[in-house]
């Protein structure tokens, strides 16, 4: 490894890495690609959600995510029975009972549903039973509520850049449109999306509590010992073992029988803002994920270089107005400032104008000097002089008297001015599927291509988000650097029967700033990269080569992580110096060992 870091930088090494694997590489890849190894380093272990009615191809979505999306949309009907049915309408899909080319996933035994829903005696199990057994065949005119949701654009529409022109109520989605030319507008989009996600998590949780009396939903995949995969036999075994949906500490816990899960794995959807990864330190595997409702049920569509749409699931609560979201954002930002700054922060901002400007509806014959959108001249000469006196700008032309600026960029500038040390803002993008494996022989899943819906897009973003949440767990993982490396350098997800190697993606809009400067305007837009870097971004193509090299040399994993995360200093060269998403890794003994050469 003298070649890397001494004679050749890591990025140059990856650039010149030959595509043709050597004998050693081939042998190592075969070893690492064994089923158990892939399962051990999987970020999640779930089940593929559904197949498309027209093409027969699988939708790229995970079952529990699909169930939570349908259940959240069902809250619009304010019916506990409808929501309970939505939460379990595909209950037996993890058993993969395939008959005559169809994927059987519900049984017609009322006794089964009576036992599973025993804790919900106040609700009609008979109505729930009919909603579940009646959601197929899902044809036009079917009055079944679950069928209506699954036929909507939220679940079924195949994805294009914009899978809608205007949101329709039957699509169970709500949208906000933005004009995002210029860095300040992208910065505001990232801030608004982050704040909206937090608001939505609480609103969705409150709606669940209002309809079902619970705040969180937890799905637990459990192995079940049944010789036959016929779901009727599985249902009998579940009745025999006394499985029930229970409520514990405001959490609805739903056990799911699984044919392929060798050990339990859970997904919990909850009201807090952060993804939490539950590591089993003994087994060195991830045993569950906690996902905020807001992250699981919203997304951003970037359309060309001008427009963006924030899209989220309509659960029937009062629509969130953009002005209210921005007001809450500014209240939050004020709370981070000193008491002195708090009194004057954002006092000159007119929120009504900001909203119309972001929507591209602001009218003026003057062009904003930052984005070119319609703006208005600065009339407060004293304010402009004050900004220049504080040396926040490099040139007299920025925000000087009578220059035009649009209300959206003005707000972005004001936020930047008040937080000179920087605010880390980013947009998570869909993970790239680099490699698909199909280890199990299931008739209807012979294809390794997928279709995508709005729900699929959200799920792929969640995969990237889970990957970037790994660094929060580094204290648990640093005890075994090899363990850390396999999650970072060979990330995979399992959605039975598929095993997928993924490449995460992110766009860093604004970083932390070492100096008090314009951290939005003076930083590059790190768009659709794996690791946004201070010196150089790591691209998906570089990550692909890095993974291939790691698979042939797994013992070098900690060293490769160290090379990626190395910071620039007088004594060392940082090639990437990542600004986000990678842990600090140290190799070797104490201080003396680090001083020695080699």
């Amino acid at each position: 490894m003298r070649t890397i870091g001494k004679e050749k930088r890591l990025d140059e090494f990856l650039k010149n890495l030959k595509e043709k694997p050597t004998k050693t590489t081939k042998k190592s890849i075969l070893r690492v690609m064994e089923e158990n190894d892939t399962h051990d380093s999987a970020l999640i272990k779930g089940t593929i959600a559904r197949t498309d009615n027209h093409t027969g191809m699988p939708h790229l979505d995970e079952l529990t995510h699909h169930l939570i999306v349908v259940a959240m949309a069902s809250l619009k009907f304010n019916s506990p029975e409808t929501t309970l049915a939505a939460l379990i309408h595909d209950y037996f899909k993890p058993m993969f009972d395939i008959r005559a080319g169809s994927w059987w996933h519900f049984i017609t035994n009322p006794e089964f549903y009576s036992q599973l829903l025993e804790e919900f005696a106040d609700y009609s199990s008979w109505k729930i039973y009919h909603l579940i057994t009646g959601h197929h065949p899902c044809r036009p005119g079917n009055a079944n509520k679950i069928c209506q949701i699954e036929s909507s654009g939220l679940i079924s529409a195949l994805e294009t850049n914009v899978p809608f022109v205007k949101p329709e109520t039957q699509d169970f989605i709500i949208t906000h449109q933005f004009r995002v030319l210029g860095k300040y507008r992208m910065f505001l989009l990232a801030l608004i999306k982050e704040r909206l996600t937090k608001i939505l998590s609480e609103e969705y949780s409150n709606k669940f509590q209002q309809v079902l009396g619970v705040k969180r939903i937890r799905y637990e995949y459990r192995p079940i010992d049944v010789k036959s995969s016929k779901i009727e036999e599985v249902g009998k075994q579940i009745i025999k073992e006394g499985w029930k949906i229970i409520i514990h500490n405001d959490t609805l816990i739903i056990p799911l029988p699984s044919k392929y899960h060798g050990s339990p794995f859970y997904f919990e959807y909850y009201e807090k803002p952060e993804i939490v990864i539950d590591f089993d330190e003994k087994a060195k595997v991830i045993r569950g994920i906690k996902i905020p409702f807001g992250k699981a049920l919203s997304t951003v569509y970037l359309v060309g270089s001008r427009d963006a749409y924030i899209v989220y699931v309509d659960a029937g609560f009062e629509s969130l107005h953009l002005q209210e979201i921005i007001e809450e954002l500014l209240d939050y930002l004020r709370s981070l400032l000193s008491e002195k700054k708090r009194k004057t922060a954002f006092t000159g901002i007119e929120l009504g104008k900001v909203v119309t400007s972001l929507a591209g509806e602001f009218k003026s014959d003057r062009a904003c000097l930052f984005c070119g959108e319609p703006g208005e001249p600065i009339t407060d000469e004293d304010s402009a002089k004050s900004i220049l006196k504080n040396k926040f700008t490099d040139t007299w032309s920025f925000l000087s008297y009578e220059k035009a600026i649009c209300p959206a960029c003005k707000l972005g500038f004001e936020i930047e001015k008040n937080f000179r040390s920087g605010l880390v803002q980013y947009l998570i993008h869909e993970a790239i599927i680099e490699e698909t494996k199909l280890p199990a022989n299931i008739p209807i899943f012979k294809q390794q291509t997928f279709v995508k819906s709005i729900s699929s897009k959200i799920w792929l973003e969640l995969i990237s988000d889970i990957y970037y949440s790994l660094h929060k767990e580094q204290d648990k993982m640093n005890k075994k650097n090899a363990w850390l490396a396999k999650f970072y350098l060979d990330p995979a997800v399992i959605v039975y029967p598929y095993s997928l190697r993924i490449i995460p993606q992110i766009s860093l809009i604004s970083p932390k700033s070492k100096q008090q400067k314009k951290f939005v305007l003076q930083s590059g837009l790190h768009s659709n990269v794996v690791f946004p870097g201070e010196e150089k971004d790591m691209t998906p193509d570089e990550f692909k080569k890095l993974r291939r090299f790691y698979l042939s040399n797994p013992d070098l994993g900690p060293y490769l992580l160290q090379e990626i995360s190395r910071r620039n200093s007088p004594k060392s060269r940082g090639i990437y110096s990542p600004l986000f998403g990678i842990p600090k890794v140290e190799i070797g003994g104490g201080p003396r060992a680090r001083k020695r050469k080699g």
Side-chain angles (χ1 to χ4, degrees), residues 87-303:
L87 285 166
I88 59 171
H89 71 276
D90 289 337
Y91 188 82
F92 287 101
K93 275 190 174 177
M95 294 307 301
F96 292 97
D97 183 356
I98 311 297
R99 303 182 207 173
S102 296
W103 191 1
W104 289 47
H105 52 273
F106 57 84
I107 60 177
T108 55
N109 179 3
E111 183 190 350
F112 168 78
Y113 297 101
S114 295
Q115 177 180 297
L116 194 66
L117 298 164
E118 194 174 282
E119 287 208 15
F120 301 90
D122 292 343
Y123 306 134
S124 169
S125 63
W126 189 250
K127 185 178 179 181
I128 296 168
Y129 166 79
H130 278 288
L131 280 163
I132 292 171
T133 56
H135 83 279
H136 282 300
C138 201
R139 294 171 183 159
N142 189 336
N144 185 284
K145 297 290 192 292
I146 296 171
C147 176
Q148 289 176 25
I149 297 167
E150 292 199 316
S151 301
S152 71
L154 173 64
I155 303 295
S156 293
L158 302 190
E159 184 196 60
T160 58
N161 280 339
V162 186
F164 46 82
V165 177
K166 290 182 179 178
E168 302 290 342
T169 52
Q170 64 265 28
D171 280 335
F172 297 93
I173 56 173
I174 294 172
T175 66
H176 293 292
Q177 184 177 356
F178 296 83
R179 188 61 56 84
V180 290
L181 283 166
K183 294 196 67 178
Y184 282 134
R185 287 171 172 266
M186 283 295 289
F187 177 56
L188 285 180
L189 175 67
L191 282 166
I192 290 167
K193 172 60 169 68
E194 181 184 49
R195 182 52 36 183
L196 176 63
T197 298
K198 291 178 180 178
I199 295 170
L200 285 174
S201 289
E202 293 170 3
E203 290 287 345
Y204 287 139
S205 179
N206 291 340
K207 186 70 177 183
F208 261 122
Q209 193 164 36
Q210 177 188 329
V211 175
L212 279 184
V214 297
K215 296 176 70 175
R216 307 169 200 95
I217 309 295
R218 177 173 169 135
Y219 288 98
E220 295 182 352
Y221 283 107
R222 298 179 185 175
I224 187 164
D225 186 18
V226 183
K227 291 180 182 179
S228 171
S229 61
K230 286 191 174 181
I231 56 176
E232 291 83 2
E233 297 302 316
V234 178
K236 289 176 185 176
Q237 185 67 23
I238 286 174
I239 292 172
K240 186 178 177 182
E241 294 183 12
W243 288 27
K244 294 173 187 175
I245 296 173
I246 63 169
I247 298 174
H248 179 69
N249 292 336
D250 290 329
T251 303
L252 188 71
I253 301 173
I254 303 172
L256 292 173
S258 177
K259 181 177 183 176
Y260 293 113
H261 279 79
S263 57
F265 192 93
Y266 72 86
F267 292 88
E268 184 173 316
Y269 298 91
Y270 77 141
E271 76 283 3
K272 294 187 179 177
E274 299 295 332
I275 287 176
V276 176
I277 299 173
D278 183 0
F279 276 99
D280 185 334
E281 295 182 59
K282 256 188 177 179
K284 301 181 178 66
V285 295
I286 295 173
R287 59 190 166 199
I289 305 284
K290 289 185 176 182
I291 301 171
F293 282 122
K295 286 180 181 282
L297 298 156
S298 67
T299 184
V300 171
Y301 277 91
L302 295 172
V303 186

Side-chain angles (χ1 to χ4, degrees), residues 332-541:
Y332 167 71
L333 292 175
R334 285 189 192 97
S335 72
L336 302 178
L337 296 170
S338 66
E339 191 173 344
K340 184 180 178 181
K341 277 189 172 183
R342 204 177 298 161
K343 292 177 181 177
T344 56
F346 318 123
T347 51
I349 299 298
E350 297 179 62
L351 289 183
K353 289 183 177 181
V354 173
V355 170
T356 55
S357 180
L358 280 171
E361 297 169 356
F362 189 73
K363 305 296 182 185
S364 170
D365 57 356
R366 303 286 295 273
C368 174
L369 65 91
F370 292 116
C371 70
E373 286 290 301
E376 53 188 358
I378 296 168
T379 55
D380 187 350
E381 189 172 1
D382 293 334
S383 176
K385 284 180 179 177
S386 172
I387 292 168
L388 293 170
K389 185 179 179 182
N390 292 332
K391 296 181 179 179
F392 183 57
T393 54
D394 294 341
T395 168
W396 61 271
S397 66
F398 279 3
L399 290 192
S400 58
Y401 183 52
E402 289 189 339
K403 293 289 181 181
I405 183 171
C406 71
C409 288
K410 183 180 179 182
L411 175 56
F413 183 91
E414 285 288 326
I415 295 171
E416 186 182 44
K417 186 182 73 169
N418 280 286
F419 294 89
R420 297 197 187 182
S421 59
L423 285 172
V424 177
Q425 292 301 317
Y426 53 86
L427 291 173
I428 296 287
H429 297 300
E430 299 167 56
I432 298 168
I433 306 300
E434 183 189 349
E435 178 184 274
T436 305
K437 287 188 70 184
L438 190 58
N441 183 22
I442 300 176
I444 66 171
F445 292 106
K446 290 181 180 177
Q447 302 182 64
Q448 297 192 24
T449 51
F450 305 92
V451 294
K452 293 194 296 181
S453 62
I454 298 173
S455 181
S456 304
K457 181 183 188 298
I458 298 173
W459 182 73
L460 285 167
E461 289 172 356
L462 276 178
I463 296 303
S464 287
D465 213 342
I466 290 167
Y467 179 87
Y468 291 116
S469 299
L470 278 169
H471 73 277
K472 300 169 192 171
E473 306 294 331
Q474 73 175 76
D475 291 340
K476 297 176 184 177
M477 296 194 293
N478 268 349
K479 297 172 184 176
K480 294 288 183 183
N481 281 327
W483 179 24
L484 174 68
K486 71 179 178 180
F487 284 103
Y488 267 100
L489 302 179
D490 185 27
V493 297
I494 293 170
V495 279
Y496 291 110
Y498 295 96
S499 175
L500 310 172
R501 280 202 158 101
I502 62 104
I503 299 176
Q505 291 188 105
I506 194 172
S507 286
L508 186 66
I509 312 298
S510 64
K512 273 287 184 185
S513 177
K514 291 179 181 177
Q515 302 169 347
Q516 291 199 351
K517 63 176 186 179
K518 296 183 294 299
F519 61 90
V520 177
L521 284 187
Q522 291 183 341
S523 62
L525 179 62
H526 309 260
S527 180
N528 290 80
V529 298
V530 179
F531 296 124
E534 195 172 84
E535 300 300 318
K536 185 181 188 299
D537 295 332
M538 177 171 279
T539 65
D541 187 57

